[in-house]
């Protein structure tokens, strides 16, 4: 008999998630029926969307939503043999039973030497977000100036590197000097610490006096207010996230953006990466190739132990991670 552990959300988060909002629960799993398989999570992902998603889609007591790389430990389904690794959306659980629906194999050609956790990061959902959100919405051209915030994170770091592959000048912002150093290391042309600059306007102007053609938006709030003013005419803005506002019950009042959009003739479009789910194979293949060629470098911030998963999640929301925040069971 397998005892599965899971993390539930005891009550809806009020502001930043706190340790007491989570509860560790244990359940005995039943014996497998024909067609079923038992999986154990090896790596789990903690992502910003879990914070706003919990309010919109979850009720108190539910297991936290989330994805993992999991290994088949027992199988009554010939399509999923014991020892296989899959990406699943089973929530914050150590073990779970599946009928195989929704399990995704790692992209073909995945070498044994490459960490499987990358299927949750640069070669997984965040990498695909960067790939489609940048290429399909910003359509960056050679010599365009591309701005990305949350730049040292899972999505932002890949956005910047893809923009470099496409021949752009890339400017990134992040919340610590170590992160700024990391951005320079992976090829960003300009990077600044948005927490310590005396003025966002000046930092943005200094990094690119001529303005920005493309803006990959992960943060929202005051940063977006400053960045919008520095777009070039006909600039393109890909609205991927708004993490500075995820803990707010009521969005803070902001400047009204219509005049900038109008006079600069900007195009601004939000997206959820699942829009391109029928092209994930293409995106995954390309990202894997770039990673193997060293054109997309990756970094992971690993929290050890399933029992520390809430801490890993809260830490990521506070900016403790460089690259993808991962939980290793
Ligand atoms: N549209 C879509 O389909 C998807 C959207 N996203 C979005 O992409 C963005 C980045 O996600 P992801 O790469 O996974 O996460 P990251 O790896 O970038 O981790 C989150 C980072 O957010 C930054 N952050 C936290 N609070 C603030 C704040 N108040 N102001 C500015 N930055 C803050 C921190 O970095 P720092 O130290 O720099 O502050 C932290 O490290 C999020 O907005 C997320 O919602 C992600 C996946 C899919
Ligand atoms: C819920 C706010 C989403 C903020 C942007 C973001 O981080 C999106 C992440 C997606 C990721 O690909 C995996 C997901 O499931 C996330 C999307 C969740 C969308 C929920 C929409 C709920 C609604 O329609 O109200």
């Amino acid at each position: 008999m397998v005892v599965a552990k899971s993390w539930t959300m005891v009550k809806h988060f009020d502001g930043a998630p706190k340790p007491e909002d989570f509860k560790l629960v244990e359940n005995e799993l039943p014996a497998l029926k024909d067609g079923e398989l038992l999986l154990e999570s090896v790596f789990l992902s903690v992502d910003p969307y879990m914070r706003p998603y919990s309010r919109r889609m979850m009720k108190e007591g539910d297991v936290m939503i989330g994805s993992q790389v999991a290994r088949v430990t027992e199988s009554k389904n010939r399509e999923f043999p014991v020892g296989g690794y899959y990406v699943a959306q089973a929530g914050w659980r150590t073990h779970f039973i599946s009928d195989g629906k929704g399990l995704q194999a790692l992209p073909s050609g995945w070498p044994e030497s490459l960490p499987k956790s990358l299927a949750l990061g640069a070669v997984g959902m965040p990498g695909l977000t960067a790939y489609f959100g940048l290429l399909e919405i910003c359509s960056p051209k050679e010599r365009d100036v591309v701005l990305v915030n949350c730049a040292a994170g899972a999505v932002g770091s890949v956005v910047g590197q893809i923009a470099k592959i496409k021949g752009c000048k890339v400017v990134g912002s992040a919340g610590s000097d170590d992160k700024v150093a990391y951005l320079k290391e992976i090829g960003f042309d300009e990077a600044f610490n948005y927490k310590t600059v005396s003025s966002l306007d000046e930092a943005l102007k200094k990094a690119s006096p001529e303005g920005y053609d493309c803006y990959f938006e992960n943060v929202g709030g005051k940063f977006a207010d400053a960045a919008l003013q520095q777009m070039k005419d006909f600039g393109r803005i890909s609205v991927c996230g708004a993490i500075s506002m995820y803990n707010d019950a009521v969005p803070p009042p902001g400047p009204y953006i219509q005049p900038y959009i109008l006079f600069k003739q900007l195009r601004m479009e939000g997206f959820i990466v699942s829009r391109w789910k029928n092209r994930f194979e293409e995106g995954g293949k390309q990202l894997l190739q770039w990673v193997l060629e060293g054109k997309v470098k990756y970094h992971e911030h690993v929290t050890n132990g399933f029992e520390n998963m809430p801490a890993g999640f809260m830490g990521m929301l506070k900016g403790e991670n460089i690259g993808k925040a991962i939980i290793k069971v």
Side-chain angles (χ1 to χ4, degrees), residues 99-129:
D99 60 6
K101 285 199 191 90
L103 295 181
Q104 296 157 265
L106 305 188
S108 63
W110 193 286
E112 200 48 49
S113 57
L114 196 68
K116 292 182 174 56
S117 49
L118 290 193
L120 302 173
V123 191
M125 184 279 283
L128 293 165
T129 301

Side-chain angles (χ1 to χ4, degrees), residues 176-202:
S176 76
D177 293 346
D178 283 351
K179 291 187 181 189
V180 168
Y182 174 68
L183 294 179
K184 296 277 176 62
E185 217 177 282
I186 62 172
F188 279 59
D189 298 285
E190 300 285 341
F192 63 89
N193 179 344
Y194 72 92
K195 288 184 178 165
T196 55
V197 291
S198 50
S199 147
L200 277 179
D201 293 330
E202 278 166 27

Side-chain angles (χ1 to χ4, degrees), residues 49 52-53 56-57 125 240-241 246 272-273:
Y49 74 84
Y53 185 96
R56 294 161 74 99
M57 309 291 276
M125 184 279 283
C240 173
Y246 290 172
I272 298 289
V273 63

Side-chain angles (χ1 to χ4, degrees), residues 3 6 74 90 155 165 178:
V3 175
S6 56
E74 209 185 313
V155 175
I165 292 169
D178 283 351

Side-chain angles (χ1 to χ4, degrees), residues 39-47 50 65-72 84-96 106 110-121 298 300-306 309 324-329:
L39 297 106
E40 76 178 1
S41 301
V42 181
F43 300 105
L44 295 111
S45 183
V46 282
D47 299 272
M50 293 166 179
I65 183 182
S67 55
Q68 55 268 91
V69 170
R71 191 173 71 90
V72 181
Y85 285 84
Y86 297 92
V87 176
Q89 277 79 39
W92 295 18
R93 300 175 201 270
T94 54
H95 300 80
F96 52 98
L106 305 188
W110 193 286
E112 200 48 49
S113 57
L114 196 68
K116 292 182 174 56
S117 49
L118 290 193
L120 302 173
Y298 61 87
E300 294 181 312
H301 178 89
V302 179
T303 301
N304 283 299
F306 184 74
M309 193 152 182
K324 178 71 187 105
I326 290 288
I327 310 300
K328 187 171 187 299
V329 177

